[in-house]
Structures are given as C-alpha cells and as structure tokens.
C-alpha cells in the first residue's frame, strides 16, 4: 500500500482520539466537574460496571482502542524501522507490530465486552 | 600597511584525522594558528596544510559557496568551510570533523555517493507527456513569474550534502531518501511543465520517503543556500495526500508553448544596446 | 586486485543523532520530545489495557489496584503521563498543520539572510508550547493534586 494512505490514516484517527480521550478524561479524572462525583467514586468497581453497561460506551471504547492503537503503533513502527534493519527484520517488525496490535485490540475489546455483559450480583 | 580590522588571534584547531591505510578509527589532531579577521575555515585549513600538516586531506573547489564541495562539521554544525569565518564562530577552540552520516573516506572527506544516488532515484528532471514536442521542439515551454517563484528556492540546491548530515532520520536510516532528494522530488513535481509525479511515486511514496521527516528543521538550518528542504518535504506530503484522494493538481499534458518565432522576437526586443567599443 | 582497498570509516551518528540536539534549532528538541513522549504513551497504553483487565479478577482485585493508584508515587507517575500526553497532543497539533504545508509561508526567492519555514512558523510553535505548559501546570496540578 502507498505509504501516503497509511500516514493519512494515522492523521485521520486524530479527531477520534481527541474527542474520545477527552471524554475518557472527563469521566475518569474530571468526574467532580462533569458528573458531580469524586474521582474515587468514579473509579469504584460498581460505578465502572454501571458505566460499562451502556452500548454507547461499548462502541466508543472499542473505537478509541482501535484509533489509539493504530496511531501509536504506526508511530512505533516508524521509530523501529528507522533503525538499520535487514529486509528479513523489516518483515518481522511489520508482522510483529500488526500481530501485537491485533492481539491487544482483541484483548481490550474482550475486557470491554466482559464489562458490558457483567451480571450484577450474578 | 595591513587593512585588517583586528590583530591576529591564536585559535586552536581540533581536526579529526583518519587514514584508511593505517587507522582503524579516527583520532583528533590539534594545531594552533594565528587567525586574522575575515579568514575562513577553508583558508585556515590551507594554511595548516602549507605550514604544519601536509598530509591533511579535504575536498574543496570554488571557495565561494557555489560548488558545495567543502561541507564539514564545524563546531558541531554542518557548514561550508568556505563560508564560515573562524572568528565569527566565537570560540578559541574550533573543531573540524567530516560530515556525519556519510562514510568517511579520509580525514575531512565524506563519501557523497549516497546523496547523488538518492538524488538520481527521484527522477530530478522535467517529465513531459508531450513527447512530440520534446523530440522536435517548436518553441519554448512557458512559465509565469508566479509559477517560477513557487519552485525557485528549491532550484538553488548545490548538493553539498549538509542537510543529510544534519538530519536525525538519516543518522540511523541509510535508506531514507533524505532532505535533498525529497526537496528535489517536490521541486520537479510542482513545476508547471512537469507531469511526472506518478512516475516518481515508486521512488518516493515509500516508508523511506517524506513521512520519515518529522520536521526537526535541522536540514533547513544547515542549508547554506536557503533552499529550506524541510519546507519542500511538507509541501510534498500535502501534494501526495491530495493526489491519493483524487484532489491532486490537474496539469495539462501539454505545457503552453511560445513558438520559436516569438522567442526570436522576444530576444530581439530585450536585446542589449549595441556595443560602444 | 582490490583486496587491499582501504576501508572507509562509518561516520553515521546512529541513535545519538536522534537524541543529541546540540546546537540545532528549538524544533529539533521538540522532535526529540515528541518521540520520547510517544514511546512513553504507547507503552503506557498497553500497560493500561492490561492493568484495567484486572477487573475480571473481581471486586477486591480492582479496588486494591485503585487504592494503589491513589498513592503518591502513582499520582506522580500519572501526572508525568498527563504532561507527556498534553505535550504530545499540542506538539501534534503543530505537526498536523505544518506537515500538511500550512503556517509555513510561501516559497520565495532565497535572499540572505535566509528566511526558513521553521523560523516562519515559530510564533505558532511558541503559542502552542505556551498553551501546553499552561495546561500541564494549571490543569494538571488542579487535577492530580487538588
């Protein structure tokens, strides 16, 4: 694929990261300002589970996960591949980053789904 | 009577030495020289060679910042030795080393071959689709002053290689095209007479192309001719992004031509007055 | 024939070329900061995903972890992460606009002393870095150390 498309995508995900990370900060760190609850309360298990039951939260967190992982791992790939690598190592780095990204994405999605489908009291 | 403004000052020159026949690694040689106002690093090297160290090697030619041969790492910045006045550096100890990020052939001589190879790789020439006109010209391709100004500064490159010595990406990545070649890729792709952007994609739209420039700005700081390669690279990124989504600048496959008869007329019109002697 | 060909010395700076900004411009230091903060943030993001998965081990495990994060050493680490994120985001805004060729002026005839695109967008650089510093100091301190 043309490098331009990969690079453009790492730019295009920025608005998603900015908005969703802002919301994540508002929920987790600015809870007293936006939700009138203490930070400790916002981080409590029951509050976290209650928040996680929302479909919107499920979708938005998976979207944030995908966007942030793409942006971050594209940057990491850039840094590693700037090192003098053999053609074999280049393939290993590219494949390794894709595999690692997919694994972390799958894991994060599973945790978000686990929270969404958690049965309170069950 | 001397017209020098100041009395000569003693400056210590630390010059990096390397002889491939006898050395495994470079070492530093120290020389003292009385430097007068206006003396360049290149002049100082000539004097050192004449008076103290006849085996000292470097590359230089024009002595006036045109040929781009005498690029060196002077006081930790890549600079042309012929344009750098010793006393303007403001230090009593002046270090002179070969340009980093190149192979060091001997003493202060870098191997600039990778620079030239990368330059050639981006097809640094006008690629016209009008092969009939190229093979049997009927006139001159036209370019307005505005069109000329939009690429003018990028045409001033003298291929001295200082920008690659300054670039942090080139420091580790031997395949990165580098500021010089990428600036030239933009210079030709942006030319109104050129239709070769797509011919260059194979060479530039790669991992080792413009996106490994992270705007550290060192190349533009180092450039002795005001080419501002970092600027050209960012404009190249914009050109490539717009092209990839189908919003690239539409260029006519046939550049406007001024017929030869008009060219002759224009030459006559702007001809200099007759000689008086 | 060429068996005795002298070998040139490899003068490539290597990683020192990334890290050492020396006498280069302010933007070269920002390049270094962007790289270091980016590496820090991606490392943290992966750790954050693993660490928040602790919820699957039950209420006690989660509450224990949250109590740990409320301690002072973790608050300081969290503040440093916040500072890195703000710097990376703000410098990212600068890079976003400049890497697409905006705020850099127009190409011009190079007349000595040369004006470079780096110098021309420096006011933007200073404004953005000033804002980043304000957010880190005011926003961050009120957030983490109320």
């Amino acid at each position: 694929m043309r490098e331009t498309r990969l690079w453009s995508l790492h730019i295009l995900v920025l608005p998603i990261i900015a908005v969703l990370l802002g919301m994540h900060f508002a929920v987790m760190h600015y809870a007293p300002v936006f939700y009138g609850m203490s930070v400790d309360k916002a981080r409590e298990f029951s509050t976290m589970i209650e928040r996680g039951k929302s479909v919107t939260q499920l979708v938005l967190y998976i979207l944030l996960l995908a966007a942030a992982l793409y942006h971050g791992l594209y940057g990491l790939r850039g840094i590693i591949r700037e090192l003098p690598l053999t053609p074999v190592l280049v393939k290993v780095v590219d494949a390794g980053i894709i595999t690692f990204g997919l694994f972390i994405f799958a894991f994060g999605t599973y945790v978000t789904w686990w929270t969404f489908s958690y049965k309170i009291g069950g | 009577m001397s017209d020098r403004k100041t009395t000569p000052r003693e400056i210590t020159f630390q010059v990096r030495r390397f002889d491939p026949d006898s050395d495994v690694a470079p070492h530093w040689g120290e020389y003292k020289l009385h430097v007068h106002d206006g003396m360049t690093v290149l002049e100082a090297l000539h004097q050192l060679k004449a008076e103290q160290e006849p085996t000292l090697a470097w590359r230089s030619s024009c002595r006036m910042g045109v040929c781009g041969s005498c690029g060196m790492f002077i006081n930790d910045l890549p600079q042309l030795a012929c344009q750098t006045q010793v006393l303007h550096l403001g230090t009593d100890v002046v270090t002179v080393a070969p340009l980093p990020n190149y192979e060091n052939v001997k003493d202060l001589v870098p191997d600039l071959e990778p620079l030239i190879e990368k330059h050639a790789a981006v097809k640094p020439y006008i690629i016209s689709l009008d092969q009939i006109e190229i093979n049997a010209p009927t006139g001159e391709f036209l370019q307005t002053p505005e069109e000329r100004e939009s690429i003018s500064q990028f045409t001033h490159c003298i291929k001295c290689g200082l920008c690659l010595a300054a670039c942090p990406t080139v420091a580790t990545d031997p395949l990165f095209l580098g500021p010089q070649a990428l600036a030239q890729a933009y210079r030709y792709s942006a030319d109104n007479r050129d239709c070769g952007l797509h011919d260059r994609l194979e060479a530039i739209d790669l991992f080792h192309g413009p996106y490994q420039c992270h705007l550290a700005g060192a190349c533009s700081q180092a450039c002795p001719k005001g080419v501002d390669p970092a600027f050209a690279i960012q404009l190249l990124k914009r050109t490539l992004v717009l092209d990839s989504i189908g919003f690239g600048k539409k260029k006519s496959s046939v550049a406007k031509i001024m017929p030869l008869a008009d060219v002759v007329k224009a030459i006559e019109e702007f001809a200099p007055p007759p000689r008086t002697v | 024939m060429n068996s005795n060909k002298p070998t040139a010395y490899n003068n490539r700076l290597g990683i020192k070329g990334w890290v050492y900004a020396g006498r280069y411009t302010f933007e070269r230091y920002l390049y270094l900061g962007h790289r270091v903060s980016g590496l820090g943030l991606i490392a943290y993001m992966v750790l954050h995903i693993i660490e928040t998965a602790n919820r699957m081990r039950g209420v006690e495990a989660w509450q224990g972890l949250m109590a740990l994060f409320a301690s002072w050493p973790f608050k300081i680490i969290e503040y440093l992460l916040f500072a890195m994120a703000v710097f990376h985001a703000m410098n990212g805004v600068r890079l976003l606009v400049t890497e697409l060729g905006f705020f850099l002026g127009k190409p011009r005839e190079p007349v000595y002393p040369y004006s470079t695109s780096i110098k021309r967008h420096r006011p933007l650089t200073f404004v953005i870095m000033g804002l980043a510093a304000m957010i880190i100091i005011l926003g961050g301190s009120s957030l983490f150390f109320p």
Side-chain angles (χ1 to χ4, degrees):
Chain A
M1 190 188 269
R2 279 171 69 170
E3 189 67 22
T4 299
R5 300 223 164 94
L6 298 177
W7 185 81
S8 303
L9 187 58
H10 122 286
I11 297 290
L12 283 172
V13 295
L14 286 177
I16 301 175
I17 299 175
V19 172
L20 298 185
L21 196 61
M23 285 166 70
H24 178 66
F25 260 70
V27 171
M28 300 307 296
H29 299 283
Y30 283 96
V33 182
F34 292 100
Y35 299 93
M37 71 166 78
S38 70
V39 171
D40 289 339
K41 175 75 182 154
R43 290 180 180 189
E44 260 181 25
F45 189 81
S46 54
T47 321
M48 179 265 295
I49 292 291
E50 201 180 316
R51 260 199 319 264
K53 301 232 136 288
S54 140
V55 180
T56 316
Q57 152 126 355
L58 175 79
V59 173
L60 292 184
Y61 262 97
I62 292 173
L63 193 61
L64 174 60
L65 188 64
L69 273 175
Y70 181 80
H71 184 84
L73 291 178
Y74 179 80
L76 181 65
R77 166 184 172 261
I79 293 176
I80 297 176
R81 281 198 49 188
E82 276 179 21
L83 297 168
L85 305 175
T86 61
V88 175
L89 272 176
V90 166
K91 283 184 183 157
V92 170
V93 167
D94 278 355
I97 295 243
I98 291 171
T99 314
F100 180 71
L102 288 175
F103 173 75
I104 290 288
F105 177 70
F107 182 65
T109 305
Y110 173 69
V111 174
T112 317
W113 178 257
W114 180 90
T115 317
F116 178 70
S117 53
Y118 185 84
K119 289 190 175 53
I120 300 166
Chain B
M1 211 176 117
S2 168
D3 58 351
R4 304 285 182 200
K5 286 185 217 149
T6 55
T7 50
R9 214 170 96 196
E10 190 180 73
I11 299 287
T12 304
F13 284 85
Q14 290 183 340
V15 182
R16 216 175 80 166
R17 308 296 311 273
F18 174 68
D19 183 350
D21 290 327
S22 55
D23 298 336
V24 180
H27 57 93
W28 292 90
E30 199 169 290
Y31 315 95
K32 289 188 192 306
L33 195 68
H34 282 94
V35 173
H36 57 72
D37 192 30
M39 190 182 207
T40 65
V41 173
L42 185 60
E43 286 173 319
L45 289 175
H46 275 290
Q47 198 165 329
L48 283 177
K49 189 176 173 81
E51 295 172 359
Q52 300 181 41
E53 188 51 79
T55 63
L56 189 61
W58 70 87
R59 188 194 291 124
S60 66
S61 182
C62 75
R63 306 183 188 207
M64 54 185 179
V66 173
C67 73
S69 300
C70 63
M72 294 173 196
F73 206 50
I74 302 165
N75 275 11
D76 287 340
L77 277 183
Q79 305 180 68
L80 291 183
C82 68
Q83 284 193 332
T84 308
Q85 294 191 23
V86 179
L87 296 184
H88 284 186
L89 291 168
T91 52
D92 290 332
V93 178
V94 170
T95 57
V96 188
L99 287 180
N101 301 339
Y102 296 96
E103 297 257 292
N104 184 192
V105 179
K106 193 181 179 189
D107 291 340
L108 302 170
V109 184
D111 179 4
L112 295 182
E113 207 171 311
L115 170 89
I116 304 302
E117 281 171 1
K118 288 169 182 177
H119 175 68
V122 302
K123 303 186 180 178
Y125 40 81
I126 300 285
I127 299 173
S128 171
L129 298 181
D130 191 357
Q131 281 307 309
I132 298 170
E133 182 61 30
I134 291 286
N135 292 328
T138 60
E140 284 189 358
F141 289 118
L142 284 177
Q143 190 166 53
T144 64
E146 292 74 28
E147 285 167 340
R148 170 70 193 167
E149 198 171 333
S150 70
I151 54 164
S152 180
Q153 73 178 109
F154 311 125
T155 67
H156 285 243
C157 175
I158 55 170
K159 293 149 203 81
C160 59
L162 298 193
C163 52
L164 271 74
C167 175
T169 306
V170 181
T172 53
D173 187 356
L175 299 175
F176 177 50
L177 282 169
Q180 190 278 334
L182 289 168
Q184 294 313 300
Y186 178 74
R187 174 257 173 272
Y188 284 98
S189 301
D191 194 307
N192 70 301
R193 300 163 296 180
D194 180 270
C195 297
L197 179 66
H198 288 153
D199 288 302
R200 293 188 188 96
L201 287 184
E202 201 185 325
I204 58 174
D205 202 353
L206 306 168
F207 174 81
H208 301 286
Y211 306 107
Q212 290 327 107
C213 163
H214 311 291
L215 203 55
C219 57
S220 294
Q221 181 189 2
C223 181
K225 304 304 284 183
V227 171
D228 199 354
F231 188 22
I233 298 174
Q234 311 325 308
L235 294 174
L236 180 63
K237 285 179 192 170
R238 178 159 75 186
T239 306
L240 289 174
V241 169
L242 289 175
D243 180 70
S244 75
I245 54 172
F247 286 96
K249 206 172 177 181
K250 300 282 177 291
K251 281 184 180 173
S252 161
S253 60
V254 181
K256 281 181 192 150
I257 291 169
M258 180 190 262
L260 277 179
D262 290 355
V263 175
V264 172
K265 214 170 117 190
I267 291 172
E268 281 167 359
E269 195 177 326
F270 295 105
R275 296 180 67 150
T276 53
V277 284
Chain C
M1 286 282 281
N2 264 344
S3 59
N4 290 329
K5 189 181 172 226
T7 4
Y9 178 74
N10 183 0
N11 203 23
R12 204 171 285 279
L13 289 172
I15 301 218
K16 190 191 162 202
W18 293 357
V19 180
Y20 176 75
R23 296 179 58 209
Y24 289 109
T25 56
F26 178 53
E27 287 72 15
R28 176 93 178 228
Y29 287 86
L30 295 182
Y31 150 86
L32 179 61
H34 201 73
R35 185 155 279 214
V36 171
S37 60
L39 283 173
L41 289 171
I42 187 70
Y44 170 72
M45 191 191 167
V46 173
L47 285 176
H48 189 53
I49 292 166
I50 295 167
E51 149 249 309
T52 48
N54 215 31
R55 67 185 71 174
M56 295 193 293
R57 289 173 54 218
V59 184
E60 285 77 23
W62 176 265
Q63 298 292 65
L65 194 67
M66 289 303 120
L68 182 69
F69 289 157
S71 65
W72 271 96
F74 277 91
K75 277 200 165 221
I76 291 169
I77 293 171
E78 220 172 23
Y79 184 56
L80 284 175
L81 275 163
F82 173 77
M84 278 208 276
V86 171
F87 169 79
H88 195 85
M90 296 303 281
N91 191 45
V93 170
R94 175 184 74 91
L95 290 175
L96 175 68
V97 291
T98 51
E99 289 198 31
L100 289 170
F102 300 104
F103 283 92
L104 298 177
K106 277 183 155 187
R108 59 196 67 193
E109 282 295 334
V111 179
Y112 193 84
Y114 305 124
S115 146
T116 67
S117 57
I118 306 298
K119 282 183 197 162
R120 290 197 292 271
H121 90 272
R122 195 156 287 161
L124 172 78
T125 308
F126 286 153
V127 167
I128 284 184
M129 284 302 116
L131 277 172
M134 268 171 62
I135 296 170
I136 291 169
I137 294 165
L138 301 175
S141 57
S142 65
L143 182 64
F144 295 103
F145 307 106

